[in-house]
Amino acid sequence: MALKAALIITAISIVLLAIYGADAAVSKGSDQGFLPFDHKTRGMGLGGPAMILPIIAFFISRKESSKPLAAMLLVTGAMIIVGGAVFLSMPPSDEPRNVMAEAGPLFGVGAFQIALGAIKIRK
């Protein structure tokens, strides 16, 4: 039962990351994409849960072995790292920002999720 729940919430995370990425791509650096949110609200509403849910999924299913869940954890980690890399490659905006302070945590969370996926594969 815990494994099913873990697979479902990780799938939700992948969907949230895909929606987040599509909306950010459509916005092309402006304040709003196809969703009526600015970049900060988009990050908190879609990105935040998408980073937390796979970690929760790993821990609720930590005693069970699952290659599909491991693959999904690897995918979410890779999607987060790619999102951080795209953010770093964006041209600077008018407002001052610390790029590494904003993108650095993305790399950390993405690497952590990839590590969790690797642990899940080895079980």
mmCIF file of all heavy atoms in Angstrom, residues 30-58:
data_model
loop_
_atom_site.group_PDB
_atom_site.id
_atom_site.type_symbol
_atom_site.label_atom_id
_atom_site.label_comp_id
_atom_site.label_asym_id
_atom_site.label_seq_id
_atom_site.Cartn_x
_atom_site.Cartn_y
_atom_site.Cartn_z
ATOM 1 N N SER A 30 9.196 36.540 -18.995
ATOM 2 C CA SER A 30 8.271 37.573 -18.535
ATOM 3 C C SER A 30 7.635 37.122 -17.225
ATOM 4 O O SER A 30 7.931 36.054 -16.705
ATOM 5 C CB SER A 30 7.200 37.840 -19.597
ATOM 6 O OG SER A 30 6.351 36.726 -19.734
ATOM 7 N N ASP A 31 6.752 37.926 -16.705
ATOM 8 C CA ASP A 31 6.175 37.622 -15.402
ATOM 9 C C ASP A 31 5.179 36.462 -15.429
ATOM 10 O O ASP A 31 5.002 35.788 -14.434
ATOM 11 C CB ASP A 31 5.476 38.855 -14.829
ATOM 12 C CG ASP A 31 6.452 39.782 -14.137
ATOM 13 O OD1 ASP A 31 7.575 39.348 -13.855
ATOM 14 O OD2 ASP A 31 6.077 40.938 -13.887
ATOM 15 N N GLN A 32 4.520 36.227 -16.553
ATOM 16 C CA GLN A 32 3.419 35.273 -16.550
ATOM 17 C C GLN A 32 3.440 34.406 -17.799
ATOM 18 O O GLN A 32 3.708 34.888 -18.891
ATOM 19 C CB GLN A 32 2.106 36.047 -16.461
ATOM 20 C CG GLN A 32 0.889 35.210 -16.255
ATOM 21 C CD GLN A 32 -0.327 36.081 -16.011
ATOM 22 O OE1 GLN A 32 -0.229 37.147 -15.433
ATOM 23 N NE2 GLN A 32 -1.457 35.638 -16.470
ATOM 24 N N GLY A 33 3.146 33.112 -17.629
ATOM 25 C CA GLY A 33 3.025 32.180 -18.742
ATOM 26 C C GLY A 33 1.559 31.944 -19.039
ATOM 27 O O GLY A 33 0.747 32.859 -18.978
ATOM 28 N N PHE A 34 1.182 30.688 -19.318
ATOM 29 C CA PHE A 34 -0.220 30.396 -19.594
ATOM 30 C C PHE A 34 -1.043 30.272 -18.309
ATOM 31 O O PHE A 34 -2.259 30.323 -18.345
ATOM 32 C CB PHE A 34 -0.394 29.160 -20.480
ATOM 33 C CG PHE A 34 0.187 27.888 -19.926
ATOM 34 C CD1 PHE A 34 -0.509 27.116 -19.022
ATOM 35 C CD2 PHE A 34 1.432 27.443 -20.346
ATOM 36 C CE1 PHE A 34 0.015 25.951 -18.520
ATOM 37 C CE2 PHE A 34 1.968 26.269 -19.858
ATOM 38 C CZ PHE A 34 1.254 25.521 -18.938
ATOM 39 N N LEU A 35 -0.380 30.096 -17.179
ATOM 40 C CA LEU A 35 -1.063 30.124 -15.890
ATOM 41 C C LEU A 35 -1.050 31.560 -15.357
ATOM 42 O O LEU A 35 -0.080 32.286 -15.573
ATOM 43 C CB LEU A 35 -0.359 29.207 -14.889
ATOM 44 C CG LEU A 35 -0.368 27.714 -15.211
ATOM 45 C CD1 LEU A 35 0.482 26.956 -14.215
ATOM 46 C CD2 LEU A 35 -1.776 27.171 -15.211
ATOM 47 N N PRO A 36 -2.086 31.963 -14.653
ATOM 48 C CA PRO A 36 -2.138 33.352 -14.176
ATOM 49 C C PRO A 36 -1.318 33.584 -12.905
ATOM 50 O O PRO A 36 -1.811 34.137 -11.925
ATOM 51 C CB PRO A 36 -3.634 33.567 -13.921
ATOM 52 C CG PRO A 36 -4.126 32.215 -13.542
ATOM 53 C CD PRO A 36 -3.321 31.247 -14.380
ATOM 54 N N PHE A 37 -0.058 33.144 -12.922
ATOM 55 C CA PHE A 37 0.823 33.297 -11.767
ATOM 56 C C PHE A 37 2.101 33.994 -12.186
ATOM 57 O O PHE A 37 2.589 33.786 -13.286
ATOM 58 C CB PHE A 37 1.202 31.939 -11.167
ATOM 59 C CG PHE A 37 0.042 31.070 -10.774
ATOM 60 C CD1 PHE A 37 -0.026 29.762 -11.196
ATOM 61 C CD2 PHE A 37 -0.989 31.552 -9.982
ATOM 62 C CE1 PHE A 37 -1.084 28.944 -10.836
ATOM 63 C CE2 PHE A 37 -2.047 30.744 -9.617
ATOM 64 C CZ PHE A 37 -2.098 29.441 -10.045
ATOM 65 N N ASP A 38 2.676 34.769 -11.277
ATOM 66 C CA ASP A 38 4.013 35.304 -11.526
ATOM 67 C C ASP A 38 5.025 34.204 -11.211
ATOM 68 O O ASP A 38 4.673 33.127 -10.729
ATOM 69 C CB ASP A 38 4.265 36.577 -10.728
ATOM 70 C CG ASP A 38 4.252 36.348 -9.223
ATOM 71 O OD1 ASP A 38 3.813 35.274 -8.785
ATOM 72 O OD2 ASP A 38 4.687 37.246 -8.491
ATOM 73 N N HIS A 39 6.297 34.461 -11.481
ATOM 74 C CA HIS A 39 7.302 33.405 -11.329
ATOM 75 C C HIS A 39 7.462 32.952 -9.884
ATOM 76 O O HIS A 39 7.723 31.785 -9.610
ATOM 77 C CB HIS A 39 8.645 33.836 -11.924
ATOM 78 C CG HIS A 39 9.266 35.019 -11.235
ATOM 79 N ND1 HIS A 39 10.117 34.862 -10.180
ATOM 80 C CD2 HIS A 39 9.139 36.346 -11.452
ATOM 81 C CE1 HIS A 39 10.497 36.067 -9.763
ATOM 82 N NE2 HIS A 39 9.925 36.984 -10.510
ATOM 83 N N LYS A 40 7.274 33.850 -8.926
ATOM 84 C CA LYS A 40 7.415 33.480 -7.519
ATOM 85 C C LYS A 40 6.275 32.557 -7.076
ATOM 86 O O LYS A 40 6.502 31.532 -6.432
ATOM 87 C CB LYS A 40 7.448 34.738 -6.653
ATOM 88 C CG LYS A 40 7.706 34.463 -5.204
ATOM 89 C CD LYS A 40 7.829 35.753 -4.433
ATOM 90 C CE LYS A 40 8.174 35.495 -2.991
ATOM 91 N NZ LYS A 40 8.332 36.737 -2.236
ATOM 92 N N THR A 41 5.062 32.898 -7.438
ATOM 93 C CA THR A 41 3.902 32.078 -7.094
ATOM 94 C C THR A 41 3.981 30.731 -7.791
ATOM 95 O O THR A 41 3.656 29.695 -7.201
ATOM 96 C CB THR A 41 2.601 32.807 -7.476
ATOM 97 O OG1 THR A 41 2.604 34.099 -6.867
ATOM 98 C CG2 THR A 41 1.386 32.024 -7.030
ATOM 99 N N ARG A 42 4.416 30.734 -9.047
ATOM 100 C CA ARG A 42 4.578 29.484 -9.804
ATOM 101 C C ARG A 42 5.580 28.569 -9.109
ATOM 102 O O ARG A 42 5.355 27.371 -8.969
ATOM 103 C CB ARG A 42 5.050 29.792 -11.224
ATOM 104 C CG ARG A 42 5.198 28.589 -12.087
ATOM 105 C CD ARG A 42 5.829 28.905 -13.438
ATOM 106 N NE ARG A 42 5.506 30.187 -13.998
ATOM 107 C CZ ARG A 42 6.407 31.032 -14.516
ATOM 108 N NH1 ARG A 42 7.675 30.732 -14.535
ATOM 109 N NH2 ARG A 42 6.033 32.181 -15.013
ATOM 110 N N GLY A 43 6.672 29.141 -8.651
ATOM 111 C CA GLY A 43 7.690 28.346 -7.976
ATOM 112 C C GLY A 43 7.207 27.780 -6.654
ATOM 113 O O GLY A 43 7.486 26.624 -6.331
ATOM 114 N N MET A 44 6.472 28.576 -5.897
ATOM 115 C CA MET A 44 5.981 28.105 -4.603
ATOM 116 C C MET A 44 4.830 27.121 -4.761
ATOM 117 O O MET A 44 4.731 26.160 -4.004
ATOM 118 C CB MET A 44 5.556 29.289 -3.736
ATOM 119 C CG MET A 44 6.728 30.095 -3.257
ATOM 120 S SD MET A 44 6.387 31.528 -2.191
ATOM 121 C CE MET A 44 4.678 31.676 -2.063
ATOM 122 N N GLY A 45 3.969 27.351 -5.733
ATOM 123 C CA GLY A 45 2.787 26.498 -5.903
ATOM 124 C C GLY A 45 3.046 25.207 -6.644
ATOM 125 O O GLY A 45 2.450 24.174 -6.337
ATOM 126 N N LEU A 46 3.929 25.254 -7.628
ATOM 127 C CA LEU A 46 4.217 24.059 -8.429
ATOM 128 C C LEU A 46 5.574 23.463 -8.095
ATOM 129 O O LEU A 46 5.709 22.248 -7.962
ATOM 130 C CB LEU A 46 4.155 24.394 -9.926
ATOM 131 C CG LEU A 46 2.804 24.847 -10.473
ATOM 132 C CD1 LEU A 46 2.943 25.294 -11.915
ATOM 133 C CD2 LEU A 46 1.782 23.754 -10.354
ATOM 134 N N GLY A 47 6.590 24.294 -7.981
ATOM 135 C CA GLY A 47 7.945 23.802 -7.766
ATOM 136 C C GLY A 47 8.184 23.270 -6.370
ATOM 137 O O GLY A 47 8.842 22.237 -6.189
ATOM 138 N N GLY A 48 7.661 23.949 -5.376
ATOM 139 C CA GLY A 48 7.861 23.517 -3.993
ATOM 140 C C GLY A 48 7.334 22.112 -3.730
ATOM 141 O O GLY A 48 8.076 21.231 -3.291
ATOM 142 N N PRO A 49 6.045 21.884 -4.005
ATOM 143 C CA PRO A 49 5.525 20.531 -3.800
ATOM 144 C C PRO A 49 6.221 19.489 -4.679
ATOM 145 O O PRO A 49 6.419 18.358 -4.246
ATOM 146 C CB PRO A 49 4.049 20.650 -4.188
ATOM 147 C CG PRO A 49 3.722 22.080 -4.019
ATOM 148 C CD PRO A 49 4.977 22.833 -4.332
ATOM 149 N N ALA A 50 6.617 19.885 -5.891
ATOM 150 C CA ALA A 50 7.283 18.938 -6.782
ATOM 151 C C ALA A 50 8.652 18.532 -6.258
ATOM 152 O O ALA A 50 9.159 17.460 -6.602
ATOM 153 C CB ALA A 50 7.425 19.544 -8.183
ATOM 154 N N MET A 51 9.261 19.347 -5.428
ATOM 155 C CA MET A 51 10.549 18.984 -4.837
ATOM 156 C C MET A 51 10.374 18.173 -3.557
ATOM 157 O O MET A 51 11.205 17.331 -3.237
ATOM 158 C CB MET A 51 11.377 20.246 -4.543
ATOM 159 C CG MET A 51 11.872 20.925 -5.785
ATOM 160 S SD MET A 51 13.068 22.227 -5.483
ATOM 161 C CE MET A 51 12.132 23.402 -4.566
ATOM 162 N N ILE A 52 9.294 18.398 -2.832
ATOM 163 C CA ILE A 52 9.086 17.738 -1.547
ATOM 164 C C ILE A 52 8.437 16.361 -1.697
ATOM 165 O O ILE A 52 8.801 15.415 -0.998
ATOM 166 C CB ILE A 52 8.248 18.642 -0.619
ATOM 167 C CG1 ILE A 52 9.033 19.912 -0.294
ATOM 168 C CG2 ILE A 52 7.840 17.924 0.649
ATOM 169 C CD1 ILE A 52 8.215 20.987 0.365
ATOM 170 N N LEU A 53 7.475 16.227 -2.608
ATOM 171 C CA LEU A 53 6.721 14.977 -2.735
ATOM 172 C C LEU A 53 7.590 13.749 -3.011
ATOM 173 O O LEU A 53 7.372 12.700 -2.391
ATOM 174 C CB LEU A 53 5.636 15.125 -3.805
ATOM 175 C CG LEU A 53 4.456 16.022 -3.430
ATOM 176 C CD1 LEU A 53 3.507 16.175 -4.614
ATOM 177 C CD2 LEU A 53 3.716 15.490 -2.234
ATOM 178 N N PRO A 54 8.588 13.799 -3.918
ATOM 179 C CA PRO A 54 9.397 12.597 -4.126
ATOM 180 C C PRO A 54 10.201 12.181 -2.895
ATOM 181 O O PRO A 54 10.419 10.986 -2.668
ATOM 182 C CB PRO A 54 10.337 12.980 -5.273
ATOM 183 C CG PRO A 54 9.650 14.085 -5.959
ATOM 184 C CD PRO A 54 8.902 14.825 -4.903
ATOM 185 N N ILE A 55 10.617 13.142 -2.107
ATOM 186 C CA ILE A 55 11.354 12.822 -0.881
ATOM 187 C C ILE A 55 10.424 12.112 0.100
ATOM 188 O O ILE A 55 10.799 11.107 0.721
ATOM 189 C CB ILE A 55 11.973 14.100 -0.282
ATOM 190 C CG1 ILE A 55 13.002 14.681 -1.262
ATOM 191 C CG2 ILE A 55 12.604 13.821 1.082
ATOM 192 C CD1 ILE A 55 13.485 16.072 -0.914
ATOM 193 N N ILE A 56 9.206 12.610 0.221
ATOM 194 C CA ILE A 56 8.210 11.947 1.063
ATOM 195 C C ILE A 56 7.946 10.539 0.543
ATOM 196 O O ILE A 56 7.858 9.576 1.323
ATOM 197 C CB ILE A 56 6.916 12.781 1.122
ATOM 198 C CG1 ILE A 56 7.154 14.104 1.851
ATOM 199 C CG2 ILE A 56 5.783 11.994 1.786
ATOM 200 C CD1 ILE A 56 6.011 15.095 1.748
ATOM 201 N N ALA A 57 7.827 10.404 -0.785
ATOM 202 C CA ALA A 57 7.564 9.094 -1.381
ATOM 203 C C ALA A 57 8.662 8.093 -1.051
ATOM 204 O O ALA A 57 8.388 6.929 -0.758
ATOM 205 C CB ALA A 57 7.421 9.227 -2.896
ATOM 206 N N PHE A 58 9.904 8.546 -1.096
ATOM 207 C CA PHE A 58 11.006 7.645 -0.766
ATOM 208 C C PHE A 58 10.889 7.154 0.670
ATOM 209 O O PHE A 58 11.027 5.965 0.947
ATOM 210 C CB PHE A 58 12.360 8.335 -0.965
ATOM 211 C CG PHE A 58 13.516 7.503 -0.512
ATOM 212 C CD1 PHE A 58 14.037 6.534 -1.339
ATOM 213 C CD2 PHE A 58 14.069 7.675 0.748
ATOM 214 C CE1 PHE A 58 15.101 5.750 -0.922
ATOM 215 C CE2 PHE A 58 15.135 6.898 1.174
ATOM 216 C CZ PHE A 58 15.648 5.929 0.336
#
